[in-house]
Amino acid sequence: MLGDLGTAGLAVGLSCATLTALLWLRVALFGAAVRTARRGTAATLAAAVLACALLETALLRHDFSVRFVAENGGRDVGLYYTLTSLWSALDGSLLLWLLVLGGYAALLSRRAYPPRLHAYAMVVVSVVMMFFFALSTFAANPFRAVSPVPADGPGPNPLLQQHPAMGVHPPLLYAGYLGLVVPFAFALAAPLAGRDGARWVRLARPWALVAWAALTGGIGMGAWWSYAVLGWGGYWAWDPVENASLLPWLTATAFLHTTLVRGRVAWHGALACASFLLVLLGTFLTRSGAVASVHAFTDSPLGPILLGFVLLAVVVSAVLTGRRAPEPARAGGPPALSRATLVLVHGVLLVTIAAVVLIGTILPLLTTALSGSASSVGPAYYQRTAVPLAIVVLLVMGVTPALRVRDRSAALSRLVVPAAAGLGTVALVGLLSRPGPAALTAFGAAGFVLTGLAGDLAHRLRRPGPHRRPARLAGLVAHAGLALIAVGVAGSSAYGRDAERTLRVGETLRVSDVAVRLVGVDRTGGSGSMAVRARLALTASGRPARTITPALRYQAARDTAVTVPAIGTGPLRDTYVTLLAVAEDSGTATVRLAVNPLVGLIWAGGALTAASGLLAAAATARPRIRTAARTGRPRPAPVAVGPGAAP
């Protein structure tokens, strides 16, 4: 019953999305009233809500006649992970995708924008909705029936039941991905809308900021989940699916930077389109089975369909954005040493990093398709290419605040203290330790940036006026967050230490001043699942020993074992202990001990950066909301004053 209702809901959603696209096209071409088109958008969102609600109901009722529930549900799964099972596999995740996309479409449809620009943008968003509804209805329908009906299901992937971030990371990431459809839609609509499209960049920027903030939070949450669950002690492995989330973040960041400079319309359109096209490419990589990744879904028939849609979107974007009239050449242009120039340099560097990461991500796919032999691009490639470029971005980021001053001599003088702080950091860290050239440069660049930001903040607080506006301060917060991330990455990479050893009861494994001693091994569970825990006494810096219990959990239904590391978080470093194997007689255990310095700065910096995007979006949208409210208020009738006025 629920399966039939769900399939009907998807069919209704596809019909509504198709009709809505036609209704918005009618508005764009003939100036028809928008009320009916808005109702169509609301109906499309309602269909997505209905489909998600029906699948959640099937999961909660353990209705194993529904294929998705039979493959991903389970009677022994807790309530929280039963709810999050909706996006634990490919077919259900598409429903969450539709729900988030429908939410953005409904919000966009209610805004008061220039009529033709708004209508054409809604056509683009509705066509994207139509495609994903068709994909879910015909190629990835989670409501298909199963026969015979099993008595129980295996539950979600065990890795997805180890950390509560599973309930936040995918929705946050999807909110970031799909928020980029709005700037994409505006960029495609602008050349069709004529004069109505002149201000599209200004209108798209708040949407891009919200999407960027959500994507930043989603990437950070994913890194935290990887660090806390996978048991390898790291947070970023240059995995193809990790790269797929980084690529649109880089181009969206470049878009936000270039929109601070007037003109450059061709840049704006290209970056807005590239950001969402990279989202579609990431969807293809994640859901096609084209890449092997712990983050990717299994093989599916969606690959050719998604690839075809990506290619179609590329062609349409190139044709529409290529229709723009060439920008008139400006006499002189901005000075070589100016904030506008450095903002553009920043954008070029970010696009270059995105190109480097994109090449490393898709090159194995191309070589496999052309030569038939499998190949891979390892972390060393990204460390030699993307990491140096990222350090240059940091340095440019530190110079830019000083150039807000029009007097160039004054601007250069404001760089003296940050430059001294950066060089002092390099000298001090280099004398105390030898972290390597890349880490040492990153420390110096971060010191340069943070000192410059502190000086810029003090300068703003001393001066009244627009310099204190939240939109201006949001940039400082974002840059500070990125500098903290750079320190955390450099510190954990340069100073992290680990060791692995098979211990007998009573033996000790030591890394630096941290030691773990095996006290015993405990086994629990039955036929369906089993857990093995190592009881270890951990001592650090001469402090009293405390007991930790890293574990291995085995789930028979999926024939999968997952590690559950024991992580001790401190202000300056983490201790990370993983149980890798246990002997059958429980007499020995293979343990990995890692000491990871400054990892906490990565999470703090990510939170600051994401918060800065929301702050900037709220500050950017507020004046327009006030203006709309002011213009929508009826003006009072003029009152006569003077000797001839009526009493």
Side-chain angles (χ1 to χ4, degrees), residues 226-234 563 565 576 578 580 592:
S226 179
Y227 181 72
V229 170
L230 296 184
W232 62 293
T563 60
Y576 196 104
T578 310
L580 301 177
R592 179 179 178 273

Side-chain angles (χ1 to χ4, degrees), residues 92 100 104 140 147 157 166 212 223 234 254 268 361 368 398 403 443 480 491 594 635:
V100 177
Y104 275 115
S147 181
N157 187 319
M166 178 58 190
W212 181 85
H268 302 154
T361 303
T368 301
L403 298 183
F443 284 133
R635 293 185 178 181

Side-chain angles (χ1 to χ4, degrees), residues 187-213:
L188 295 187
L192 300 173
R195 292 183 179 179
D196 278 1
R199 295 189 302 120
W200 77 268
V201 174
R202 181 181 171 189
L203 301 176
R205 182 174 169 80
W207 296 90
L209 283 167
V210 170
W212 181 85

Side-chain angles (χ1 to χ4, degrees), residues 380-481:
Y381 163 79
Y382 301 101
Q383 292 165 1
R384 289 194 299 265
T385 55
V387 171
L389 288 170
I391 294 174
V392 176
V393 168
L394 265 181
L395 292 172
V396 174
M397 198 167 67
V399 173
T400 305
L403 298 183
R404 290 191 176 96
V405 181
R406 294 184 178 180
D407 185 353
R408 291 293 161 260
S409 60
L412 292 175
S413 66
R414 290 179 63 182
L415 291 174
V416 172
V417 174
L423 292 174
T425 301
V426 170
L428 181 62
V429 174
L431 288 173
L432 295 178
S433 63
R434 299 189 179 276
L440 192 60
T441 308
F443 284 133
F448 173 61
V449 170
L450 291 172
T451 305
L453 291 175
D456 191 31
L457 179 61
H459 180 70
R460 288 172 184 272
L461 294 178
R462 286 196 301 266
R463 295 177 59 191
H467 300 280
R468 298 186 182 185
R469 289 176 182 172
R472 302 284 182 92
L473 297 177
L476 299 183
V477 175
H479 289 177

Side-chain angles (χ1 to χ4, degrees), residues 40-431:
T41 304
T44 307
L45 172 61
V49 172
L50 176 63
C52 288
L54 288 171
L55 191 56
E56 286 285 19
T57 302
L59 286 165
L60 292 170
R61 290 185 176 181
H62 305 303
D63 186 351
F64 297 110
S65 64
V66 176
R67 180 178 62 85
F68 186 86
V69 181
E71 294 176 355
N72 301 282
R75 299 186 185 278
D76 295 331
V77 180
L79 176 62
Y80 179 78
Y81 292 108
T82 296
L83 292 171
T84 59
S85 296
L86 177 71
W87 48 86
S88 66
L90 187 150
D91 299 352
S93 71
L94 279 177
L95 295 190
L96 178 63
W97 189 273
L98 285 169
L99 180 63
V100 177
L101 182 57
Y104 275 115
L107 288 174
L108 181 61
S109 71
R110 307 301 300 180
R111 301 293 287 179
Y113 292 138
R116 295 190 68 206
L117 176 68
H118 189 203
Y120 277 121
M122 286 304 306
V123 171
V124 175
V125 176
S126 299
V127 168
V128 175
M129 284 282 293
M130 183 175 65
F131 169 76
F132 281 104
F133 259 114
L135 197 68
S136 188
T137 302
F138 299 114
N141 186 349
F143 295 103
R144 288 173 182 162
V146 172
S147 181
V149 178
D152 200 356
N157 187 319
L159 284 173
L160 305 180
Q161 301 182 56
Q162 300 299 321
H163 200 281
M166 178 58 190
V168 181
H169 166 55
L172 203 55
L173 204 61
Y174 287 9
Y177 281 153
L178 294 167
L180 295 174
V181 74
V182 179
F184 171 73
F186 276 130
L188 295 187
L192 300 173
R195 292 183 179 179
D196 278 1
R199 295 189 302 120
W200 77 268
V201 174
R202 181 181 171 189
L203 301 176
R205 182 174 169 80
W207 296 90
L209 283 167
V210 170
W212 181 85
L215 187 55
T216 303
I219 293 173
M221 188 69 71
W224 184 41
W225 175 84
S226 179
Y227 181 72
V229 170
L230 296 184
W232 62 293
Y235 41 81
W236 193 266
W238 297 106
D239 178 278
V241 177
E242 293 174 348
N243 294 349
S245 66
L246 178 64
L247 286 168
W249 185 89
L250 289 168
T251 53
T253 307
F255 171 76
L256 291 172
H257 277 83
T258 57
T259 55
L260 297 174
V261 181
R262 293 182 179 180
R264 312 289 176 179
V265 177
W267 261 83
H268 302 154
L271 290 171
C273 290
S275 298
F276 189 66
L277 291 174
L278 289 171
V279 168
L280 295 177
L281 178 63
T283 306
F284 163 73
L285 293 174
T286 307
R287 290 172 168 80
S288 65
V291 296
S293 167
V294 69
H295 307 282
F297 297 105
T298 56
D299 293 344
S300 76
L302 303 186
I305 304 172
L306 286 168
L307 184 59
F309 188 67
V310 172
L311 296 176
L312 177 62
V314 169
V315 171
V316 171
S317 300
V319 170
L320 289 180
T321 56
R323 292 183 55 187
R324 297 183 186 278
E327 297 178 42
R330 294 185 177 183
L337 187 60
S338 67
R339 179 173 174 268
T341 300
L342 286 187
V343 166
L344 293 176
V345 169
H346 207 152
V348 171
L349 288 170
L350 290 168
V351 171
T352 305
I353 296 173
V356 166
V357 175
L358 179 62
I359 291 170
T361 303
I362 66 173
L363 187 61
L365 300 179
L366 296 177
T367 55
T368 301
L370 295 175
S371 66
S373 58
S375 63
S376 62
V377 174
Y381 163 79
Y382 301 101
Q383 292 165 1
R384 289 194 299 265
T385 55
V387 171
L389 288 170
I391 294 174
V392 176
V393 168
L394 265 181
L395 292 172
V396 174
M397 198 167 67
V399 173
T400 305
L403 298 183
R404 290 191 176 96
V405 181
R406 294 184 178 180
D407 185 353
R408 291 293 161 260
S409 60
L412 292 175
S413 66
R414 290 179 63 182
L415 291 174
V416 172
V417 174
L423 292 174
T425 301
V426 170
L428 181 62
V429 174
L431 288 173

